[in-house]
Amino acid sequence: MLSPQSLSEADRRLVASWAADCAERVLPLFEAEAPDDDRPRDAIARARAYASGELDTAGEIRRRFVANRASQVVSSPAAKAAAWSAGQAAGVAHMGAHALGAAAYAAKAAELHQAGAGTAEIAWQLEHLSEPARTALRLLPALGTDPSGPLGSGLLASGVLGDNIRAIQNGLLRRPCRPDVTTLELVGGPEPVRVELHDADPEWPERYREHRQRIIDALGTSAGGSSAVAIEHIGSTSVPGLAAKPIVDIVVAVEDITAEEDYLAPLLAAGYVLRVREPRHRMVRTPERDVHVHLYEQGAPEIDEYLLLRDHLRSDADDRALYERTKRELLGRSWDDMNDYADAKTEVILAIKARARAALSR
């Protein structure tokens, strides 16, 4: 059975050339010690031939990693890592994840040869990725999440190699030279709070499910498939029995928060309107303002914080009652903007989340 980390043959051929490029950049470190050993260079040449469709996939799978044995004939760690990089490049025919292995060993070899060169090598690798190859590599699971192949918990997940692959995978999520916004943009300006608490409504979960499907339809697999962390119902309307403002809050993880063309444009086309643009976060909502969709990048700690609070309030009646009392008191005041009301709840929310973490650690 093939590992889920195996790309399609077309995608493996696509990334094999990049893997060969990564390995060839550090190959001179091996050749300086073993100029008569052609195994690593042959492996790189085979990776390029495989990428161009000249070599049979099954045959290459049988021959994978022959270059790794060449590491036994050299003495320096940098030369050994260079040989392993070539072997990993040849292994791409077997499994696409080995493209990341080739890049990781190349960065390790560069760093062993000269301090600081590993980071520069990873920057070069990411810069010289074509968009199709970048898209293919994004299909691989995060390092350490799948035990059935090289990106599981084995050699590539440990030490410097693991650090290198994590850096590469993080870099794959971003387009080069795409800095995030640096200031808060509140589209439409401040809005006075004119909302009262409503008793828990069984229609809120149904409204969430309706908009979850609407988001999936708009974004495709970028939000609803395996590449997304989650689409989750958050906020007070996600807690059964909790009184709330009748606004359904939803959090969505996207691959790259700076790539607004991938998620913001489709959501606006689906009928949502932009309300908030700020570092690491965007928020769109329905024109009726009864559904708020919060967008963060995959792995953003804010997502975990939302879920921590939601799950604790679902299970702890005392903190659920405390939270409701706090909201009723605050909504009895006059607020110039909804964000000011949200900020006023912060102290109580932090205390509740501290208790939630304590409960999880017991």
Side-chain angles (χ1 to χ4, degrees):
M1 178 179 178
L2 287 177
S3 164
Q5 299 181 62
S6 293
L7 299 178
S8 69
E9 181 174 335
D11 282 336
R12 291 198 304 273
R13 291 188 184 277
L14 186 62
V15 300
S17 181
W18 174 75
D21 288 344
C22 295
E24 189 157 30
R25 282 174 57 82
V26 297
L27 187 60
L29 300 178
F30 175 88
E31 293 178 328
E33 289 198 33
D36 297 326
D37 193 329
D38 292 331
R39 286 176 292 181
R41 185 163 290 281
D42 286 345
I44 292 172
R46 289 203 321 272
R48 296 195 188 285
Y50 170 71
S52 64
E54 298 172 26
L55 293 180
D56 171 71
T57 302
E60 284 308 289
I61 287 175
R62 288 192 295 271
R63 289 170 54 88
R64 69 185 184 276
F65 301 145
V66 65
N68 293 347
R69 293 194 289 274
S71 66
Q72 300 169 7
V73 306
V74 291
S75 58
S76 80
K80 290 179 183 294
W84 275 89
S85 182
Q88 293 280 318
V92 175
H94 166 60
M95 195 176 290
H98 290 307
L100 294 178
Y105 272 108
K108 180 179 180 179
E111 182 67 24
L112 289 169
H113 178 66
Q114 181 179 348
T119 300
E121 197 67 19
I122 290 173
W124 182 92
Q125 293 165 356
L126 291 168
E127 183 181 350
H128 286 78
L129 258 176
S130 67
E131 276 303 314
R134 182 185 297 268
T135 299
L137 289 171
R138 283 177 173 174
L139 298 176
L140 294 170
L143 183 66
T145 61
D146 186 344
S148 59
L151 295 184
S153 57
L155 180 63
L156 290 182
S158 61
V160 172
L161 294 174
D163 292 341
N164 290 346
I165 289 180
R166 290 183 186 91
I168 294 167
Q169 289 196 308
N170 287 337
L172 289 172
L173 300 179
R174 291 195 167 276
R175 289 173 172 78
C177 303
R178 292 286 298 270
D180 197 8
V181 297
T182 58
T183 59
L184 168 65
E185 179 184 356
L186 201 58
V187 179
E191 295 174 347
V193 177
R194 302 186 182 90
V195 182
E196 297 180 353
L197 289 187
H198 289 216
D199 290 336
D201 188 335
E203 290 188 5
W204 291 336
E206 181 58 35
R207 193 177 308 165
Y208 157 70
R209 287 188 288 270
E210 172 192 336
H211 283 272
R212 183 182 191 279
Q213 189 59 52
R214 183 169 165 183
I215 293 165
I216 290 173
D217 291 343
L219 301 186
T221 57
S222 65
S226 60
S227 63
V229 173
I231 301 176
E232 295 277 358
H233 189 186
I234 59 170
S236 295
T237 62
S238 69
V239 180
L242 180 61
K245 303 184 304 298
I247 297 173
V248 172
D249 285 289
I250 300 172
V251 65
V252 178
V254 296
E255 286 186 332
D256 183 350
I257 199 67
T258 71
E260 293 187 348
E261 66 275 17
D262 288 350
Y263 65 89
L264 188 55
L267 288 174
L268 298 183
Y272 298 99
V273 294
L274 179 63
R275 170 58 176 163
V276 176
R277 179 189 278 117
E278 61 182 333
R280 298 166 52 88
H281 172 234
R282 309 293 189 268
M283 191 269 275
V284 300
R285 63 187 180 183
T286 54
E288 299 78 15
R289 304 181 184 180
D290 60 349
V291 176
H292 290 178
V293 180
H294 301 269
L295 298 122
Y296 293 91
E297 198 160 276
Q298 291 181 4
E302 291 88 348
I303 297 175
D304 291 336
E305 294 294 305
Y306 279 129
L307 300 182
L308 175 73
L309 179 64
R310 180 197 69 183
D311 293 347
H312 181 73
L313 291 176
R314 284 176 172 178
S315 62
D316 191 298
D318 291 340
D319 274 338
R320 188 164 61 245
L322 169 64
Y323 190 46
E324 182 171 322
R325 287 196 304 273
T326 301
K327 293 195 299 178
R328 288 191 184 280
E329 177 188 347
L330 291 175
L331 282 174
R333 308 178 193 175
S334 176
W335 301 93
D336 292 331
D337 184 69
M338 182 73 74
N339 292 286
D340 296 333
Y341 159 74
D343 290 342
K345 297 185 295 181
T346 298
E347 183 176 349
V348 170
I349 289 175
L350 290 176
I352 292 174
K353 288 196 292 188
R355 288 191 287 275
R357 291 190 181 90
L360 289 174
S361 65
R362 289 200 292 266

